[in-house]
């Protein structure tokens, strides 16, 4: 039985845009790379809520429901504790809040590494429960068989090479990758393997620029850089980092705003008005109707 995802717009604060745009598709994004290059770089940001998706949707080609929500939303120390239920619930909210972007959902740690069959079962669950268009999973050549298995069964997959946060315990930290010849060779080889397995796009994270460029030129799928190179076929950032929600961010993040200060200042103004009884004022207060 098929499921239709609909919005109840009657009482929600986060109503959809009045004139919905036609949503992009995975094949259209994949086709943007022609003869080894993308004419206009692809834009991707993370989103975890319906309202956030609404605000970002018109400006992005893809919205990533990243497992970074573990740290950004839940205050967890890493992405490792994130669950399938967390991902499915947030992805569903992002789908409800968007009309234009391709919504990609991260597969959390432990949900796909055991076998291609395990990966398919959990990926199918994520897509069915959320309505997202694709999944993303981390890892290089070791994940090629799994990606091919998923793609052959109708699940679009975005790959992820270089610095892979779910493997931070093995990697020993969040340092840039590709500085040694052996590591550089592995990253390029990993990207090629995922490309050949059928990944429609590949995230390259935390990789020194020459290797990111080499990997981008070596694959037919678009590459999405994060802490890599402007010469990747697109870019992604964690939205909260980009907006300036946190004081400490990775070196590769550019803060395009200072939302944290705005929130603090606004909360301080609200608190002051409550304590001085200037809020609520006449405009925010109900009065009895006159006869």
């Amino acid at each position: 039985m098929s499921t239709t995802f609909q919005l109840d717009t009657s009482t929600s604060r986060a109503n959809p845009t009045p004139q919905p745009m036609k949503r992009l598709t995975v094949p259209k994004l994949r086709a943007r790379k022609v003869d080894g290059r993308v004419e206009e770089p692809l834009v991707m940001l993370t989103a975890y809520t319906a309202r956030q998706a609404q605000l970002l949707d018109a400006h992005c080609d893809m919205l990533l429901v990243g497992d970074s929500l573990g740290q950004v939303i839940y205050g967890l120390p890493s992405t490792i504790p994130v669950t399938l239920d967390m991902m499915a619930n947030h992805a569903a909210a992002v789908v409800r809040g968007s009309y234009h972007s391709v919504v990609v959902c991260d597969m959390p740690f432990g949900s796909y590494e055991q076998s291609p069959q395990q990966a398919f079962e959990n990926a199918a669950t994520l897509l069915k429960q959320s309505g997202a268009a694709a999944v993303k999973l981390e890892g290089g050549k070791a994940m090629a068989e799994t990606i091919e298995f998923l793609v052959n069964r109708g699940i679009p997959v975005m790959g992820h090479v270089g610095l892979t946060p779910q493997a931070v315990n093995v990697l020993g930290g969040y340092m840039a990758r590709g500085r040694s010849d052996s590591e550089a060779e592995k990253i390029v080889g990993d990207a090629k393997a995922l490309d050949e397995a059928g990944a429609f796009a590949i995230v390259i994270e935390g990789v020194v620029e020459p290797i990111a460029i080499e990997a981008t030129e070596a694959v037919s799928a678009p590459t999405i850089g994060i802490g890599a190179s402007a010469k990747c076929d697109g870019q992604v950032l964690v939205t909260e980092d980009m907006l300036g929600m946190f004081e400490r961010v990775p070196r590769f993040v550019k803060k395009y705003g200072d939302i944290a200060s705005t929130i603090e200042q606004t909360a301080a103004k609200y608190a002051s008005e409550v304590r001085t009884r200037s809020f609520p004022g006449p405009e925010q207060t109900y009065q009895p109707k006159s006869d």
Side-chain angles (χ1 to χ4, degrees):
M1 183 177 66
S2 62
T3 300
T4 302
F5 293 87
Q6 296 180 332
L7 284 171
D8 177 5
T9 62
S10 58
T11 59
S12 174
R13 285 190 175 90
N15 286 336
T17 52
Q19 296 180 335
M21 295 171 287
K22 188 174 182 180
R23 194 182 290 275
L24 292 170
T25 65
V26 165
K28 286 184 178 180
L29 290 179
R30 176 65 181 80
R32 292 270 290 272
K33 190 166 184 175
V34 180
D35 295 330
R37 68 186 300 270
V38 169
E39 186 68 26
E40 183 179 71
L42 298 166
V43 178
M44 189 176 191
L45 284 169
T46 61
Y48 314 116
T49 66
R51 183 56 179 159
Q52 190 179 43
Q54 287 181 305
L55 296 174
L56 302 176
D57 189 38
H59 309 287
C60 294
D61 300 297
M62 293 174 282
L63 292 175
L64 173 64
V65 187
D67 58 2
S68 50
L69 63 82
Q71 295 151 302
V72 174
I73 301 296
Y74 292 94
L76 297 170
S78 72
T79 63
I80 303 300
V82 173
T83 66
L84 274 170
D85 284 342
M86 286 180 185
M87 297 307 305
N89 289 334
H90 286 275
V94 171
V95 170
R96 288 193 292 269
S98 62
Y99 282 99
H100 171 66
S101 304
V102 169
V103 178
V104 182
C105 184
D106 263 344
M107 296 193 68
F109 177 74
S111 68
Y112 60 91
E113 296 91 340
Q114 184 177 19
S115 67
Q117 291 77 12
Q118 180 210 28
F120 176 78
E121 181 179 346
N122 289 327
T125 296
L126 277 179
L127 297 192
K128 286 194 292 185
Q129 291 185 356
S130 69
V135 298
K136 181 173 77 66
L137 53 83
E138 297 181 7
K141 291 180 181 179
M143 287 293 108
E145 179 185 357
T146 294
I147 290 176
E148 184 174 10
F149 189 89
L150 296 181
V151 172
N152 286 341
R153 285 156 180 78
I155 296 181
V157 181
M158 175 179 285
H160 187 149
V161 301
L163 173 58
T164 48
Q166 291 179 7
V168 65
N169 292 328
V170 173
L171 297 175
Y174 294 98
M175 298 82 69
R177 303 291 155 181
R179 296 191 185 278
S180 67
D181 290 343
S182 61
E183 196 172 56
E185 183 179 355
K186 180 181 184 305
I187 291 168
V188 175
D190 284 342
K192 288 180 178 179
L194 301 192
D195 186 41
E196 293 170 0
F200 76 90
I202 302 169
V203 171
I204 301 178
E205 179 172 359
V207 171
V208 295
E209 185 172 46
I211 306 309
I213 294 172
E214 183 179 349
T216 296
E217 293 175 347
V219 299
S220 60
T223 61
I224 310 298
I226 176 168
S229 169
K231 292 186 179 180
C232 288
D233 299 312
Q235 299 294 324
V236 62
L237 283 176
V238 172
T239 296
E240 283 76 2
D241 289 345
M242 179 271 292
L243 291 176
M245 281 288 288
F246 299 105
E247 293 180 1
R248 295 180 60 187
V249 296
R251 176 183 174 180
F252 55 75
V253 172
K254 178 177 180 179
K255 291 186 180 181
Y256 287 83
D258 188 13
I259 300 301
S261 293
T262 299
I263 292 174
E264 288 185 343
Q265 291 166 11
T266 304
K269 184 177 180 181
Y270 164 74
S272 175
E273 290 191 4
V274 169
R275 290 176 179 132
T276 58
R277 298 187 186 277
S278 56
F279 175 83
E283 299 85 355
Q284 296 88 35
T285 305
Y286 297 104
Q287 300 295 339
K289 290 184 178 180
S290 57
D291 295 334

